[in-house]
Amino acid sequence: MYSTLHCNFLARPLRSLTFASCRPIIRSSLHAGSFQLKVRHRNVFTAVTRALSTSCVRWSDRKTKGSAAIPPLRENIYTIPNLLTVSRILSCPVLGWSILHDDFFLATGLLVYAGLSDLADGYLARRFNMHSVLGTILDPAADKTLMTTLTVTLAMKGLLPISLASIIIGRDVLLSLSAFYIRYTSLPAPKTFSRYWDFSIPSAEVRPTTISKYNTFAQLALMCATTVTPILPVQYNLFVPEMQILVAVTTVWSGLSYVFSKDAVRIVSETRKKLPPS
């Protein structure tokens, strides 16, 4: 019995000593395992974050390169050639007023200014690289405004046949309506009223055909000769009837050339989409 009690007395602190000594070891192993899991989770989070940041940087670089390859949609329209062209358009009402009031000296002076300014804006645009899409629209518009003013006022004064005036004005009206339609269809989205009339946003470029250039020269020559005739002596013959026939033929021909020519109108937005990335 003594031995049994002695063994029980000795076994009781031994069991307590064994479990007490094992608790910190178990706790330390659990802390070590949780620490390793935290480290692993932190490494995974760091790797995912780096991958996402790298992909974002690559995407931004691609976007920057792609946007750099496409030229801006706006251009500088405040150039000297465009200002000269606008001044030629603004002089047309004064020209019409002078013809209706039989002031052919003033009308001749305005015609000389129109011719010189036309030569000057073309030279400046080529020499100093001042080309613009608006210029390709304003220049023929100024010529047509000048031509329409001369045609209407000279026909009202009886110096130009009504039939020839109808051919010239009818062609110009049809081309103007076509220009409005092409502007709307070629304008990049969104198609709003303010963007439609914002000419710093180019959409289409009008290129005159070869016969149209000859027709413009023939019309200007006829109008100048008809305007100058009242102030010239009677013995001077400027072949006005023959020039009227030539203008009638070339006017119809040039109008048909815009319909059947593929190079008369160039859509700017489509051309910029085809530019290769730099």
Side-chain angles (χ1 to χ4, degrees):
M1 183 177 180
Y2 173 77
S3 61
T4 304
L5 293 174
H6 186 265
C7 290
N8 293 335
F9 177 78
L10 292 176
R12 192 175 295 174
L14 180 62
R15 285 196 301 267
S16 62
L17 178 63
T18 303
F19 289 114
S21 61
C22 289
R23 285 175 184 173
I25 297 174
I26 294 173
R27 290 178 181 176
S28 62
S29 61
L30 290 175
H31 285 299
S34 62
F35 178 75
Q36 290 178 358
L37 288 176
K38 289 181 180 179
V39 171
R40 290 178 183 178
H41 291 167
R42 188 178 301 171
N43 293 335
V44 172
F45 178 77
T46 305
V48 172
T49 305
R50 288 179 180 177
L52 289 176
S53 61
T54 305
S55 61
C56 291
V57 170
R58 289 178 180 176
W59 179 81
S60 62
D61 291 341
R62 289 177 183 177
K63 186 177 180 181
T64 305
K65 291 179 181 179
S67 61
I70 301 176
L73 292 177
R74 295 184 178 271
E75 64 178 2
N76 182 23
I77 62 176
Y78 302 102
T79 60
I80 297 178
N82 289 345
L83 293 177
L84 290 174
T85 305
V86 171
S87 69
R88 196 158 70 249
I89 295 175
L90 295 178
S91 66
C92 290
V94 182
L95 175 62
W97 178 88
S98 62
I99 292 175
L100 292 177
H101 289 79
D102 296 327
D103 193 352
F104 291 98
F105 289 98
L106 177 59
T108 302
L110 291 175
L111 284 178
V112 172
Y113 169 75
L116 293 178
S117 62
D118 192 12
L119 294 175
D121 64 36
Y123 171 77
L124 291 174
R126 291 188 300 270
R127 178 66 176 81
F128 299 101
N129 194 20
M130 295 182 179
H131 297 282
S132 63
V133 176
L134 178 61
T136 63
I137 300 174
L138 280 180
D139 191 63
D143 294 337
K144 297 310 172 187
T145 304
L146 177 64
M147 194 60 53
T148 302
T149 302
L150 290 171
T151 302
V152 172
T153 53
L154 290 175
M156 291 175 64
K157 296 296 293 183
L159 299 175
L160 195 69
I162 301 297
S163 58
L164 180 59
S166 300
I167 293 175
I168 295 174
I169 294 176
R171 168 188 172 273
D172 293 341
V173 169
L174 292 177
L175 291 179
S176 300
L177 294 177
S178 301
F180 284 120
Y181 175 75
I182 293 172
R183 169 65 175 174
Y184 177 77
T185 55
S186 62
L187 183 67
K191 300 179 185 296
T192 60
F193 183 81
S194 59
R195 283 172 55 85
Y196 183 88
W197 296 105
D198 188 359
F199 294 106
S200 64
I201 304 176
S203 59
E205 181 180 1
V206 179
R207 295 180 176 179
T209 59
T210 303
I211 186 60
S212 179
K213 295 179 181 179
Y214 290 123
N215 174 247
T216 301
F217 176 77
Q219 287 183 0
L220 287 175
L222 173 62
M223 300 304 167
C224 291
T226 307
T227 304
V228 175
T229 298
I231 62 176
L232 289 179
V234 182
Q235 61 269 21
Y236 286 96
N237 184 14
L238 298 179
F239 303 99
V240 174
E242 292 80 5
M243 294 176 65
Q244 291 176 355
I245 298 174
L246 177 63
V247 167
V249 174
T250 56
T251 299
V252 176
W253 189 359
S254 63
L256 294 176
S257 68
Y258 280 104
V259 176
F260 297 102
S261 177
K262 297 180 180 180
D263 300 328
V265 178
R266 182 178 68 90
I267 306 301
V268 177
S269 58
E270 292 183 357
T271 304
R272 293 185 173 181
K273 288 180 182 178
K274 297 179 181 178
L275 288 175
S278 58

